[in-house]
Amino acid sequence: LQLWPPDRPPRSVSVEDDIPEDDDPDLDESALSGQELIVRELGATVVEEFSNEP
């Protein structure tokens, strides 16, 4: 798998440029993660939950 042309190395992005601004139109505040994402995208069902705290 090759992600860029062989004659051109991948360009690097500084950390400052990789952080979205608050007014970025592409910033999706409703993005899900973890359990909510798996339930929505894969149709998973929570059977039982365990707590890892003592």
Side-chain angles (χ1 to χ4, degrees):
L1 177 62
Q2 191 170 10
L3 301 177
W4 60 87
D7 59 337
R8 195 175 64 199
R11 59 184 188 109
S12 61
V13 177
S14 69
V15 175
E16 293 81 19
D17 291 337
D18 197 32
I19 299 172
E21 297 293 327
D22 290 336
D23 62 346
D24 188 343
D26 294 327
L27 186 61
D28 184 8
E29 292 290 335
S30 67
L32 300 176
S33 64
Q35 180 178 328
E36 295 171 337
L37 180 63
I38 294 171
V39 168
R40 187 188 78 190
E41 294 298 318
L42 301 177
T45 302
V46 177
V47 176
E48 186 175 356
E49 292 188 35
F50 295 95
S51 174
N52 291 334
E53 296 180 23

